[in-house]
Amino acid sequence: MARYVLDFQEIDRTQVAVVGGKGALLGELSQIEGVCVPAGFCVTTDAFQRIMAGAPSIDDQLGQLSCLEPGDRDAIRALSAEVRRTIERIVIPDDLEATINRSLEGLGEQAAYAVRSSATAEDLPTASFAGQQDTYLNVVGSAAVLQHVSWCWASLFTERAVTYRLRNGCDHRKVQMAVVVQQMVFPQAAGILFTADPVTSNRKVASVEASFGLGEALVSGLVNADVYKVRDGAVIAKAIAAKQLAIRALPAGGTEAQAIDSERQHEPALTDEQVVQLARLGRRIEAHFGHPQDIEWCLVADGFQVVQSRPITTLFPIPEPGDQENHVYVSVGHQQMMTDPMRPLGLSFWQLTTPRPMSEAGGRLFVDVTRGLASYGSGSNLVEARAIEALRRSDRLVKDALETILERGDFIQAPPDELPDEREPAIAQLVEAPGPIETDPAIVAELIEHNEASVAALKRDIRTKSGSALLDFILADIQELKRILFDPRSNQVFMTAIHATRWLNEHLQDWLGEKNAADRLTQSVPNNVTSEMGLALLGVADVIRPYPAVVTFLQYVEDENFLDDLPALAGGAQARDAIQAFLDKYGMRCAGEIDITRPRWSERPDTLVPVILTNIKNFESGAGERRREQGRQEAYDKERELLERLRLLPDGEAKADEVKAMIDRVRTFIGYREYPKYGMVSRYFIYKQALTQEAERLVLAHVVAEKEDIFYLTFQELHDAVRTNRVDDQVIRERKDAFESYQALTPPRVLTSEGEAITGAYRRDDVPAGALVGLPVSAGTVEGRARVILDIAQADLEAGDILVTTYTDPSWTPLFVTIKGLVTEVGGLMTHGAVIAREYGLPAVVGVEHATHLIQDRQQIRVHGTDGYIEILA
């Protein structure tokens, strides 16, 4: 039986479907001891559904809305206004009107009320939807309340609400609207309490914003608020604003902005004691809901009343340390060039592959560096000091963040004695390898040959495995993968190249004044499987370019099965064979390839089509080989120039001989830097193909609904599912929802166990005013059109563009042949983008915070790859 009105005392947080997010939370708040909530009731979604049923035309209108894109602003504006007018014209039925009026009589019919929307997709743990519908204050009289209830129903279809749902994938038909009717309070002060600091995300610090009068002035941005920070029962910081306006209630209803007397404008809205009391109230509410809260409050007659509380959805989750000690975590994704969230199967494969345990939060992995920092701070452990130095070299923002923590001196305490070796933390895996090895290319050839033979054996042997035996086989093969990845000879090869690179840069700057000289010396080095991949795709374009019918066909490709249709075209068979040959060697790669669950190029070859078309448009036949040879020649010319200049110096022959040896060492070994990951993702793809076949069996057995469901299980859970033919469907649904929410979060480079995201800085004063600062990783200066691209499948580049993106992994390499400069938000000296940029001779700056937001697409910029900054040009 439909219930059209529920009192707050009848409502709890489980009734979102009936009273919406805001109503459910207000009902729950009303049940918490010690929390005062103004009395009220909810007009339920049953009432809304009855109203909607009175206008059959709305269903067609909602169907039209669902077909729009978030960017179709004019169409959204017109159609949403039409829906609102339809709802507002509906007459509230007599029995529903009588039910609402009886509830008003119980509160005092002629009192003033706040009438507030409460959608079923609002104030949820994973998406607040805050501000998407309407709130009306100081509504006086039953007739006015009924009118405003109708307006709240219609506000489900404001332009901003419709656009928000389109962007977040919410079905308009599945979102219902309830309405909160609540006694109005007239406070002397009001504002917002965040139980976690909204700036730093620190869960131990509460933030209070306060102003005079109704909180609407603050929420709507009409006034600057007083801001207080509270920790451990004390105000630790405050800033009192000049408050020129306050929103006050009018006797006849509604509100107006009133000027505050000049002598009161700088008075604090709250005393310190009141702020502490409010923070304590917030902690009680947070404990009840089990999640940091965004709370709207009012101060009435020296007591606080809560008028709304919703979860803070923008906080990055905290890894679970398992103890009560302080911990510091460094993002693995920033080191691996993949800051997107990973599904549980991807996370567990990565954890199985790495030699040290890692912590998980928000679908990302973090390494706990607490012991390393403590040891570094005490200076007692040389190994740990070298590990922190390795981090400093790889990412200066991480380095600065870690040093900020150490400088505070109150979060990490240095141990009294040196840590024993067996307790060295996970950060120790970043310590540099021992000294250099001889310049013998046979070492690289041997390592590559061993890996290829091992992958071939895996591909052969895994075909005979299924069921639990398959999972056992994969688990055993991961040990072989780890032996290859962490072979001391392999590590020593590329660490030798890194040492030699640093040696060259340091000595050539000292002797010749050359900054980052090694960058030009590493162009077109041998054995770089990733740079060779980019040039190989130029070769695919060479095959396709002579066949116009194929080029035209590719311009309209929409799915991954297009290869089957190619042979029907003139030149189509040759095109198919060329693409397939590329996929046979590189098809295991993809964006975010360290996550085994991501679709590979072999699974989605259409991903490569835009890049192939770009290569056809921007290059002539043979461009790949010409670029390779040009790089070799430029590196040779630079080497000859440097050696000639060195020989003119005192003791020049000896210096030239040293430099020549180091150049040979770099060029012999630096290309191998990209190979270990290539070997790893080659194995990952073989694992994935076998597990996908096993997932198909689970679908046929009705264990899972679809193949991709296995991605939301850990490796061990998948093993159990295969063994028992049982899976908890609820777990899979919850993890899918969690993964969706994680995609909206940006992981911090450094995170503490208090939830604080420590933001490092470059702290440089040698760059022009207004320049964007980053890490110089590939020398040279270039000016051109910025292309801000977040998805390689959407890349539409012209020759000479400068690529601006969040991060690059090997899947982005095919774009590098077109661009002439690179800017990324994430990266280090030896990460993928830096290595390939140097080999292709592209000036590059990485680690530029918020580059994709601060640089506009198609804007003219100048990249200073030698000095590490970007100028945005007029």
Side-chain angles (χ1 to χ4, degrees):
M1 180 178 176
R3 293 194 65 184
Y4 295 138
V5 172
L6 291 174
D7 187 87
F8 283 175
Q9 299 303 316
E10 302 176 270
I11 298 169
D12 61 33
R13 67 177 117 175
T14 67
Q15 293 170 273
V16 172
V18 179
V19 296
K22 188 181 284 98
L25 292 176
L26 280 169
E28 186 78 24
L29 280 167
S30 300
Q31 319 299 324
I32 304 174
E33 184 178 355
V35 177
C36 184
V37 177
F41 60 87
C42 287
V43 181
T44 68
T45 55
D46 287 342
F48 176 74
Q49 289 169 9
R50 182 172 174 185
I51 292 296
M52 294 289 280
S57 63
I58 287 181
D59 193 63
D60 290 338
Q61 293 169 343
L62 297 187
Q64 295 175 51
L65 276 179
S66 298
C67 294
L68 298 177
E69 295 294 328
D72 298 335
R73 296 178 62 183
D74 291 341
I76 291 172
R77 183 180 302 114
L79 192 52
S80 62
E82 183 181 330
V83 175
R84 290 197 305 278
R85 286 192 297 269
T86 300
I87 295 173
E88 289 169 359
R89 285 195 295 262
I90 299 173
V91 177
I92 298 177
D94 291 345
D95 61 326
L96 176 54
E97 179 179 332
T99 302
I100 296 172
N101 283 335
R102 280 195 297 272
S103 294
L104 287 173
E105 289 171 3
L107 297 177
E109 186 176 357
Q110 296 306 314
Y113 297 93
V115 182
R116 313 164 73 189
S117 65
S118 181
T120 54
E122 185 178 35
D123 295 344
L124 304 179
T126 57
S128 73
F129 287 74
Q132 299 310 310
Q133 285 83 40
D134 291 343
T135 289
Y136 303 96
L137 300 178
N138 198 32
V139 180
V140 177
S142 59
V145 169
L146 290 168
Q147 178 66 72
H148 285 81
V149 167
S150 181
W151 289 346
C152 278
W153 285 330
S155 77
L156 186 63
F157 299 100
T158 61
E159 180 184 350
R160 64 182 182 274
V162 168
T163 302
Y164 193 93
R165 288 197 294 274
L166 288 172
R167 285 176 177 159
N168 286 274
C170 294
D171 188 334
H172 299 301
R173 292 185 179 88
K174 291 183 179 179
V175 181
Q176 306 291 318
M177 177 66 81
V179 181
V180 172
V181 180
Q182 192 172 18
Q183 278 187 340
M184 189 72 189
V185 293
F186 304 99
Q188 59 259 40
I192 302 171
L193 162 65
F194 299 96
T195 62
D197 190 321
V199 176
T200 67
S201 299
N202 193 323
R203 275 38 164 209
K204 295 291 183 71
V205 176
S207 178
V208 175
E209 298 182 4
S211 64
F212 295 125
L214 293 168
E216 187 67 14
L218 192 158
V219 173
S220 60
L222 292 178
V223 299
N224 293 323
D226 297 344
V227 179
Y228 305 82
K229 304 290 184 182
V230 183
R231 179 178 179 130
D232 299 330
V235 176
I236 59 172
K238 62 182 173 181
I240 307 302
K243 300 173 287 296
Q244 298 177 340
L245 295 174
I247 300 293
R248 306 289 187 187
L250 296 172
T255 62
E256 71 172 4
Q258 297 179 354
I260 297 175
D261 294 340
S262 57
E263 63 270 17
R264 291 198 61 212
Q265 289 180 6
H266 293 278
E267 289 182 10
L270 298 175
T271 66
D272 284 8
E273 292 76 15
Q274 288 171 328
V275 171
V276 171
Q277 179 187 350
L278 181 59
R280 193 176 297 121
L281 176 64
R283 292 297 179 208
R284 183 180 297 126
I285 295 171
E286 178 186 67
H288 180 86
F289 286 109
H291 193 282
Q293 297 289 299
D294 167 357
I295 300 166
E296 293 183 26
W297 56 268
C298 296
L299 177 63
V300 183
D302 296 325
F304 288 104
Q305 298 201 32
V306 176
V307 295
Q308 187 170 344
S309 183
R310 55 178 171 247
I312 305 174
T313 60
T314 56
L315 299 174
F316 196 85
I318 308 172
E320 297 182 5
D323 58 35
Q324 299 301 311
E325 302 299 321
N326 289 343
H327 291 263
V328 179
Y329 306 95
V330 171
S331 164
V332 173
H334 284 80
Q335 307 300 313
Q336 290 296 326
M337 296 292 92
M338 217 291 276
T339 55
D340 296 341
M342 298 168 67
R343 296 172 181 84
L345 190 64
L347 289 168
S348 60
F349 259 96
W350 186 251
Q351 288 173 303
L352 286 169
T353 303
T354 53
R356 301 276 186 169
M358 293 183 179
S359 301
E360 178 187 338
R364 281 83 167 183
L365 291 171
F366 292 83
V367 95
D368 188 336
V369 300
T370 311
R371 292 195 182 107
L373 274 184
S375 191
Y376 184 74
S378 69
S380 64
N381 191 318
L382 179 60
V383 172
E384 300 298 351
R386 292 180 66 201
I388 296 293
E389 177 65 10
L391 269 180
R392 184 192 73 80
R393 290 180 180 273
S394 68
D395 190 326
R396 292 180 189 171
L397 293 176
V398 169
K399 169 254 186 185
D400 187 76
L402 295 178
E403 290 185 349
T404 296
I405 294 172
L406 288 175
E407 289 166 2
R408 290 180 183 176
D410 60 354
F411 191 79
I412 295 296
Q413 299 297 320
D417 300 308
E418 181 178 348
L419 295 172
D421 289 344
E422 64 270 15
R423 292 185 60 206
E424 288 171 3
I427 194 174
Q429 66 185 294
L430 299 173
V431 175
E432 297 174 8
I437 55 180
E438 294 302 319
T439 308
D440 183 0
I443 298 174
V444 174
E446 182 182 338
L447 288 168
I448 292 174
E449 182 180 350
H450 176 231
N451 184 80
E452 289 178 345
S454 180
V455 169
L458 166 64
K459 190 179 295 186
R460 179 190 66 237
D461 296 342
I462 204 170
R463 293 172 184 164
T464 63
K465 311 298 180 185
S466 63
S468 292
L470 170 64
L471 278 294
D472 291 335
F473 176 81
I474 290 174
L475 193 59
D477 191 77
I478 288 174
Q479 302 310 307
E480 171 68 8
L481 169 58
K482 290 168 71 171
R483 280 192 291 272
I484 292 172
L485 281 177
F486 303 107
D487 184 333
R489 296 177 307 159
S490 178
N491 190 49
Q492 201 169 25
V493 162
F494 60 77
M495 287 312 304
T496 294
I498 292 172
H499 278 291
T501 299
R502 291 174 184 161
W503 188 97
L504 285 168
N505 284 336
E506 291 169 3
H507 285 76
L508 289 174
Q509 182 164 359
D510 183 39
W511 292 338
L512 299 176
E514 283 272 349
K515 295 180 69 173
N516 301 328
D519 293 356
R520 288 291 170 262
L521 298 169
T522 53
Q523 294 185 71
S524 296
V525 297
N527 297 313
N528 189 321
V529 68
T530 305
S531 64
E532 290 167 0
M533 177 179 69
L535 301 181
L537 205 56
L538 282 174
V540 173
D542 287 349
V543 173
I544 296 172
R545 190 178 290 106
Y547 302 109
V550 175
V551 175
T552 300
F553 171 82
L554 292 178
Q555 291 170 351
Y556 298 98
V557 162
E558 294 183 351
D559 62 56
E560 62 269 22
N561 299 315
F562 72 95
L563 289 177
D564 297 336
D565 300 326
L566 278 173
L569 304 171
Q574 294 91 324
R576 179 202 56 194
D577 292 346
I579 294 172
Q580 189 59 57
F582 180 87
L583 293 173
D584 289 343
K585 185 166 185 178
Y586 302 109
M588 77 294 290
R589 312 218 83 152
C590 67
E593 62 188 10
I594 67 170
D595 180 357
I596 196 172
T597 72
R598 299 285 282 263
R600 309 285 142 172
W601 285 343
S602 285
E603 297 168 316
R604 291 291 310 274
D606 52 309
T607 306
L608 295 171
V609 170
V611 186
I612 294 172
L613 291 172
T614 295
N615 288 347
I616 291 170
K617 176 180 67 174
N618 291 329
F619 299 98
E620 296 180 354
S621 182
E625 186 52 45
R626 285 195 299 274
R627 176 180 282 271
R628 184 183 289 109
E629 185 53 41
Q630 178 185 347
R632 281 197 211 99
Q633 189 61 47
E634 289 180 4
Y636 173 73
D637 290 345
K638 187 65 178 178
E639 173 184 326
R640 183 175 57 187
E641 174 214 327
L642 291 170
L643 295 179
E644 289 175 353
R645 290 167 60 193
L646 283 169
R647 292 189 179 100
L648 299 176
L649 300 177
D651 199 22
E653 286 296 336
K655 288 182 171 67
D657 289 345
E658 282 187 281
V659 167
K660 173 60 175 170
M662 287 297 181
I663 291 173
D664 290 346
R665 189 170 289 164
V666 169
R667 289 193 60 81
T668 299
F669 293 133
I670 197 67
Y672 181 76
R673 175 69 180 85
E674 290 288 300
Y675 199 86
K677 181 178 281 189
Y678 173 79
M680 182 192 76
V681 298
S682 296
R683 297 184 101 86
Y684 271 17
F685 186 41
I686 295 170
Y687 299 156
K688 184 183 181 184
Q689 289 174 304
L691 291 175
T692 299
Q693 291 180 352
E694 197 60 34
E696 290 171 351
R697 185 191 68 77
L698 293 176
V699 171
L700 291 174
H702 304 291
V703 178
V704 295
E706 53 189 16
K707 292 184 298 183
E708 289 74 17
D709 284 352
I710 70 168
F711 297 160
Y712 297 92
L713 302 173
T714 67
F715 184 88
Q716 184 57 54
E717 289 168 346
L718 177 57
H719 200 308
D720 293 341
V722 168
R723 179 175 53 82
T724 64
N725 269 356
R726 285 199 302 272
V727 164
D728 188 336
D729 294 336
Q730 181 64 25
V731 168
I732 290 177
R733 285 195 296 271
E734 289 174 355
R735 289 179 180 173
K736 285 182 177 181
D737 290 342
F739 179 75
E740 289 299 317
S741 70
Y742 295 156
Q743 290 181 305
L745 301 177
T746 300
R749 282 178 166 82
V750 176
L751 180 68
T752 75
S753 51
E754 293 183 348
E756 183 178 6
I758 310 293
T759 303
Y762 288 103
R763 306 185 192 280
R764 292 174 55 185
D765 56 9
D766 59 341
V767 298
L772 307 181
V773 183
L775 181 68
V777 295
S778 185
T781 299
V782 66
E783 182 178 320
R785 183 180 71 160
R787 292 307 319 275
V788 181
I789 296 173
L790 304 181
D791 181 356
I792 188 174
Q794 305 301 319
D796 179 17
L797 295 166
E798 300 287 345
D801 282 344
I802 297 171
L803 175 62
V804 180
T805 189
T806 48
Y807 64 83
T808 63
D809 62 11
S811 71
W812 289 75
T813 300
L815 299 186
F816 283 35
V817 299
T818 301
I819 62 175
K820 64 178 180 181
L822 174 69
V823 179
T824 68
E825 295 179 343
V826 177
L829 281 167
M830 293 309 299
T831 50
H832 158 78
V835 172
I836 303 303
R838 289 193 290 269
E839 181 159 341
Y840 283 179
L842 307 174
V845 181
V846 303
V848 182
E849 288 278 81
H850 311 301
T852 60
H853 298 285
L854 297 173
I855 300 172
Q856 298 177 17
D857 188 36
R858 303 177 189 273
Q859 193 169 36
Q860 287 293 118
I861 64 173
R862 185 180 296 122
V863 177
H864 296 263
T866 304
D867 298 306
Y869 64 90
I870 296 97
E871 292 179 281
I872 298 176
L873 306 178

